[in-house]
Amino acid sequence: MDALDKKFMELGADSAPGQEVRQDNSALAALTRGENIDGVPVDFSHGDVDAFAPTPGALEAWQEGYDRGGQQAYTEYRGDADIRNDVAARIATFTGAPLTADQELIITPGTQGALFLALGSVVEVGTKVAVVEPDYFANRKLVRFFNGEVVPIPLTYGAASDNNGPDLNVLETAFKAGTRVMVFSTPNNPTGLIYSKSAIDQIAELASRYDVTVIVDQLYSRLLYEGETYCHLRASASCPENIITIMGPSKTESLSGFRLGVAFGSAKLIERMEKLQAIVSLRAAGYNQAALSTWFNEPDGWLANRIAQHQAIRDDLLKVFRDAGLETAAPQGGSYIFPKLPPLIHEPEVFTRLLRSQANVTVTPGAEFSPHTVNSIRLNFSQDHKAAVAAAHRIVEMVERYRA
Amino acid sequence: MDALDKKFMELGADSAPGQEVRQDNSALAALTRGENIDGVPVDFSHGDVDAFAPTPGALEAWQEGYDRGGQQAYTEYRGDADIRNDVAARIATFTGAPLTADQELIITPGTQGALFLALGSVVEVGTKVAVVEPDYFANRKLVRFFNGEVVPIPLTYGAASDNNGPDLNVLETAFKAGTRVMVFSTPNNPTGLIYSKSAIDQIAELASRYDVTVIVDQLYSRLLYEGETYCHLRASASCPENIITIMGPSKTESLSGFRLGVAFGSAKLIERMEKLQAIVSLRAAGYNQAALSTWFNEPDGWLANRIAQHQAIRDDLLKVFRDAGLETAAPQGGSYIFPKLPPLIHEPEVFTRLLRSQANVTVTPGAEFSPHTVNSIRLNFSQDHKAAVAAAHRIVEMVERYRA
């Protein structure tokens, strides 16, 4: 096996969310216990934009973009200037820190695109990158792809705490030892944990002191449950110079089919990201950019209603899993929940395949998020409420059936 | 300057097509001769989708995709299976070689996306890559970004020949010396030269003999002028095992605003490309994928008419430039023309900026395509016919004004 074979084996996407349809499950029959469990299929690997429809007006905004013709089809690589102006102003308000549209913002093909460009702009051969565990599955893979080195930083979750966040002692030790970049998501994917103000301020302070670039993925920062508070790293008093914040309208707003994201922060890094975008995909699809006019610009009450609906699903799923004895942290934001499975007679990855083939429930194996969470499963519960709860009951039934 | 600063300096996108709006031209005034030349602004850096509208039905196909909802928003990373089935069948017919939709095709965010994924799947630190000169500006930059090594292969153009193509002796020497990958476009960007059957067969034979991966960019292979023939590498009798062909509907079909491309060929490489796409941008925008239903499926006579219109513009521009004594090869396919400038009192890059500021004409400097073509300028003549011809006359007038 040559170096590229090895590299791409490590980038394995077989269990990545949405790719389950490509799995070869011919060997599963021999491992199956009992009959299939009927129920409406639920794909928890991503949100259901039929259950939670795209932002009102997004379709019309796209059509207006199409009607504008060439001007909207071909934009600057960093995105249309007028659209960036609007978005930058709204993001400055939302995050509580100023932002210049011309220099400090780029529109990308999805938040994934933003993450790729951000890491590609700061990670080279041998660059040490602090990666929180568990966290979004692509973080580790991206560092590996750019030939950087992952420095794992543990995140404790599930315990009620005013100091939610990564292990700051491990983080400082890593920074001292030459770690140049840190990447993390808050609300955390896959657990829904929100980093506390204290954790954010300390990360900011440490990054400033050790001159570390911080890439913070705030994809879910609008979807906060009752009683939760959120702290934007870029608004922290000690905010480091080299910071990129990433957001996008794919989740809470259900605009995933448009593949839109933004990154904002350091003008120097945004410029690098644009140069990289020039050779990666040129720009986010021109007409799609127009749909951003609806972002942070939704009808009154729309966001509060969307949050309330998700909170109701969260509460029901939490009850189902906890009643069944599955250790499950309460998500503070976002639409992920990350229950832990008890010991089973099969490997967790086989169990998730059985869940799909026998019970019509698709989840993402915990191994995608860190080597230490192989016994958990991640569910994106932005789904039809009733179907999601029924599917959670099927998960519990399957757990009982395959319990070791 | 650290290694990343240097790397991104080399990825400079200041003169890249479409980025001219970001240039700081405050120093130009001191270099300017004479008055401004009036005329309808023409941006030859890319095609004008207002002059040549998107394929009929593309808008409606997109709307049907949007109406399908979640199923179209979230597809496999390599693209929706039904859409791949349709496109694969049409591409097999067009290229004259079979293609399996499930294993050998991926839908990407634009042809640029396909090129990035293809090179990213085969170039690692130190990989030697044969890059034709001149050729598409991103080829060299991509090799540099992946820390590979560019091995330049000269392309002769402008001489009538039955053996159009790169210098095959240089190519074989490069292959013998350990070059692992070759990338090229035909019709060639920026010259419009079409590789002859003989050149294609010999490239195929050499790549097979030396086990070289070939990435062939056929973006313009449908737009062939009267009397020209085209040869698909993948249909060559000696076609190498590791080949990826790249196409897309952004140019001839004017679907650039949808950012769609495809790559097809080696199943092993397509699988790598999908893994890479998973961390680069997940997938081509879901709803946009639906517009592919119009591709290779246009109304009767549509393509012939589009070719005839471009041929008429080509003929007129060629006459304007040749009458003015500018050495200009006749494009055989595609919509690029690459006239050579005489010695001027300013550097060519300054001249192109003056052209833009004084005469409302945007072109791409030849330096983007190879170090040996700094005295040429590239025009994408997929423009309003009358405006394009008038702009060509302004280019000639500016050349006379700044002649050394």
Side-chain angles (χ1 to χ4, degrees):
Chain A
M1 189 185 295
D2 73 11
L4 275 167
D5 282 328
K6 185 163 179 295
K7 183 170 183 167
F8 278 90
M9 200 186 67
E10 291 174 17
L11 292 182
D14 273 8
S15 297
Q19 291 300 92
E20 301 79 5
V21 67
R22 297 196 69 78
Q23 292 169 350
D24 174 7
N25 287 330
S26 52
L28 275 189
L31 307 172
T32 302
R33 277 188 179 177
E35 298 302 308
N36 288 353
I37 312 177
D38 279 347
V40 177
V42 176
D43 185 350
F44 285 115
S45 74
H46 55 72
D48 180 353
V49 301
D50 298 327
F52 286 99
T55 319
L59 173 63
E60 293 74 16
W62 186 93
Q63 287 165 328
E64 285 162 21
Y66 183 87
D67 291 340
R68 279 195 290 278
Q71 174 204 338
Q72 188 63 64
Y74 286 92
T75 70
E76 287 177 58
Y77 296 156
R78 63 177 67 196
D80 179 80
D82 289 341
I83 295 173
R84 277 185 288 120
N85 275 332
D86 284 351
V87 169
R90 296 185 204 134
I91 284 176
T93 304
F94 174 69
T95 60
L99 185 63
T100 68
D102 187 53
Q103 302 294 326
E104 299 178 326
L105 177 87
I106 184 170
I107 300 172
T108 59
T111 307
Q112 182 69 51
L115 194 59
F116 179 86
L117 298 178
L119 281 163
S121 295
V122 292
V123 181
E124 59 178 336
V125 181
T127 304
K128 290 183 182 171
V129 183
V131 176
V132 172
E133 295 186 336
D135 209 327
Y136 180 50
F137 66 93
N139 294 0
R140 284 177 302 148
K141 292 178 182 178
L142 282 164
V143 175
R144 176 71 188 89
F145 179 74
F146 292 122
N147 299 299
E149 186 187 320
V150 169
V151 181
I153 310 294
L155 176 76
T156 304
Y157 59 96
S161 162
D162 290 337
N163 200 18
N164 275 341
D167 186 319
L168 294 166
N169 291 324
V170 175
L171 190 68
E172 179 161 13
T173 303
F175 286 2
K176 272 187 190 162
T179 294
R180 306 297 306 136
V181 179
M182 178 187 189
V183 57
F184 70 94
S185 61
T186 174
N188 173 260
N189 178 349
T191 65
L193 170 144
I194 293 177
Y195 284 36
S196 68
K197 178 166 181 359
S198 153
I200 289 292
D201 284 342
Q202 287 179 78
I203 290 170
E205 200 276 317
L206 287 173
S208 299
R209 193 186 324 157
Y210 294 100
D211 192 23
V212 170
T213 299
V214 183
I215 298 165
V216 52
D217 171 354
Q218 302 194 173
L219 181 52
Y220 271 109
S221 54
R222 300 184 77 193
L223 192 57
L224 307 178
Y225 296 121
E226 205 176 342
E228 305 294 348
T229 56
Y230 189 89
C231 194
H232 296 272
L233 180 66
R234 67 186 304 268
S236 169
S238 321
C239 180
E241 193 179 335
N242 294 320
I243 169 182
I244 292 291
T245 306
I246 287 170
M247 288 191 70
S250 291
K251 302 296 188 183
T252 310
E253 305 82 357
S254 297
L255 298 188
S256 177
F258 294 87
R259 294 270 79 214
L260 288 167
V262 297
F264 44 100
S266 156
K268 176 182 169 177
L269 294 181
I270 295 292
E271 192 185 342
R272 282 189 184 173
M273 289 171 70
E274 181 177 43
K275 286 178 173 182
L276 185 49
Q277 180 140 292
I279 60 170
V280 172
S281 58
L282 289 177
R283 60 179 73 77
Y287 308 135
N288 291 357
Q289 292 180 29
L292 285 172
S293 66
T294 63
W295 197 35
F296 286 100
N297 196 23
E298 299 86 1
D300 283 348
W302 179 89
L303 183 63
N305 182 48
R306 186 147 283 204
I307 290 173
Q309 290 175 299
H310 281 83
Q311 185 162 317
I313 303 174
R314 177 199 69 162
D315 291 346
D316 283 354
L317 295 194
L318 206 51
K319 183 165 186 330
V320 171
F321 292 131
R322 286 181 171 174
D323 282 355
L326 306 191
E327 195 180 318
T328 310
Q332 300 173 280
S335 64
Y336 295 119
I337 192 166
F338 199 52
K340 189 173 175 186
L341 306 173
L344 302 173
I345 59 165
H346 296 310
E347 293 298 312
E349 207 226 325
V350 173
F351 177 74
T352 61
R353 291 184 183 221
L354 289 167
L355 205 49
R356 182 169 155 82
S357 68
Q358 250 195 311
N360 261 329
V361 180
T362 305
V363 301
T364 304
E368 290 287 307
F369 308 95
S370 91
H372 315 295
T373 52
V374 292
N375 293 319
S376 295
I377 53 176
R378 189 197 71 174
L379 288 71
N380 185 328
F381 58 81
S382 188
Q383 308 286 345
D384 176 80
H385 191 145
K386 201 173 145 192
V389 173
H393 283 295
R394 298 206 293 285
I395 292 172
V396 168
E397 188 176 343
M398 288 284 286
V399 163
E400 292 313 319
R401 194 182 284 187
Y402 290 95
R403 202 184 268 273
Chain B
M1 188 185 295
D2 73 11
L4 275 168
D5 283 327
K6 186 164 178 297
K7 183 170 184 168
F8 278 90
M9 200 187 65
E10 291 174 17
L11 291 182
D14 273 7
S15 297
Q19 291 300 91
E20 300 80 5
V21 68
R22 298 197 69 78
Q23 293 169 350
D24 173 7
N25 287 330
S26 52
L28 274 189
L31 307 171
T32 301
R33 276 187 178 178
E35 299 300 308
N36 289 353
I37 312 177
D38 278 348
V40 178
V42 176
D43 184 350
F44 286 116
S45 74
H46 56 70
D48 180 354
V49 301
D50 298 327
F52 287 99
T55 319
L59 172 63
E60 293 74 15
W62 186 93
Q63 287 166 328
E64 286 162 22
Y66 183 87
D67 290 340
R68 278 195 289 279
Q71 174 204 339
Q72 188 64 64
Y74 285 92
T75 70
E76 288 176 56
Y77 297 156
R78 63 177 68 196
D80 178 80
D82 290 341
I83 294 172
R84 278 187 287 120
N85 275 330
D86 285 350
V87 169
R90 295 184 205 135
I91 283 176
T93 304
F94 174 69
T95 60
L99 185 63
T100 67
D102 187 52
Q103 301 294 326
E104 299 178 326
L105 177 85
I106 184 170
I107 301 171
T108 60
T111 307
Q112 182 70 52
L115 194 59
F116 179 86
L117 298 179
L119 281 162
S121 295
V122 291
V123 181
E124 58 178 335
V125 181
T127 303
K128 291 182 181 172
V129 183
V131 175
V132 173
E133 295 185 336
D135 210 327
Y136 180 50
F137 67 92
N139 294 359
R140 284 176 303 149
K141 292 178 182 177
L142 282 164
V143 175
R144 176 70 188 89
F145 178 74
F146 292 123
N147 300 300
E149 185 187 322
V150 169
V151 180
I153 310 293
L155 176 75
T156 305
Y157 60 95
S161 162
D162 290 338
N163 200 18
N164 274 342
D167 187 321
L168 294 167
N169 291 324
V170 175
L171 189 68
E172 180 162 12
T173 303
F175 286 4
K176 271 186 190 164
T179 294
R180 306 297 306 138
V181 178
M182 177 188 188
V183 57
F184 70 95
S185 60
T186 175
N188 172 259
N189 178 349
T191 66
L193 171 144
I194 293 177
Y195 283 36
S196 68
K197 176 166 182 1
S198 154
I200 289 293
D201 284 342
Q202 286 178 78
I203 290 169
E205 199 277 317
L206 288 173
S208 297
R209 196 188 320 159
Y210 294 100
D211 192 22
V212 170
T213 299
V214 183
I215 298 164
V216 51
D217 171 354
Q218 303 194 172
L219 182 51
Y220 271 109
S221 54
R222 299 183 77 191
L223 192 57
L224 308 178
Y225 296 121
E226 205 177 344
E228 305 294 349
T229 56
Y230 189 90
C231 193
H232 296 273
L233 180 67
R234 67 186 304 268
S236 170
S238 320
C239 179
E241 194 180 334
N242 294 320
I243 168 183
I244 292 291
T245 307
I246 287 170
M247 290 192 69
S250 291
K251 302 295 187 181
T252 310
E253 305 81 358
S254 298
L255 299 188
S256 176
F258 294 87
R259 293 272 77 213
L260 288 167
V262 296
F264 44 100
S266 155
K268 176 182 169 177
L269 294 181
I270 295 293
E271 192 185 342
R272 281 190 186 173
M273 290 170 69
E274 181 176 44
K275 286 179 173 181
L276 185 48
Q277 180 139 293
I279 59 170
V280 171
S281 58
L282 288 178
R283 59 179 74 77
Y287 307 136
N288 290 358
Q289 293 180 29
L292 285 172
S293 66
T294 62
W295 198 35
F296 286 100
N297 196 23
E298 300 86 0
D300 283 347
W302 180 89
L303 183 62
N305 182 49
R306 186 146 283 205
I307 290 174
Q309 289 175 299
H310 281 83
Q311 186 161 317
I313 303 173
R314 176 198 69 163
D315 292 346
D316 283 354
L317 295 194
L318 205 50
K319 185 166 184 328
V320 171
F321 292 131
R322 285 181 172 175
D323 282 353
L326 305 192
E327 196 180 316
T328 310
Q332 300 173 280
S335 65
Y336 294 120
I337 193 165
F338 199 53
K340 190 173 174 184
L341 306 174
L344 302 173
I345 59 165
H346 295 312
E347 293 298 312
E349 208 228 324
V350 173
F351 177 75
T352 61
R353 291 185 183 219
L354 288 167
L355 205 50
R356 182 171 155 81
S357 68
Q358 251 195 309
N360 260 329
V361 180
T362 305
V363 301
T364 305
E368 289 285 309
F369 307 96
S370 91
H372 315 296
T373 52
V374 292
N375 293 318
S376 295
I377 53 175
R378 189 196 72 173
L379 288 72
N380 184 328
F381 59 80
S382 189
Q383 306 287 344
D384 176 80
H385 191 145
K386 201 173 145 191
V389 173
H393 282 295
R394 297 206 294 284
I395 292 174
V396 167
E397 189 178 341
M398 288 284 287
V399 164
E400 292 312 320
R401 193 181 285 185
Y402 290 94
R403 202 184 268 272

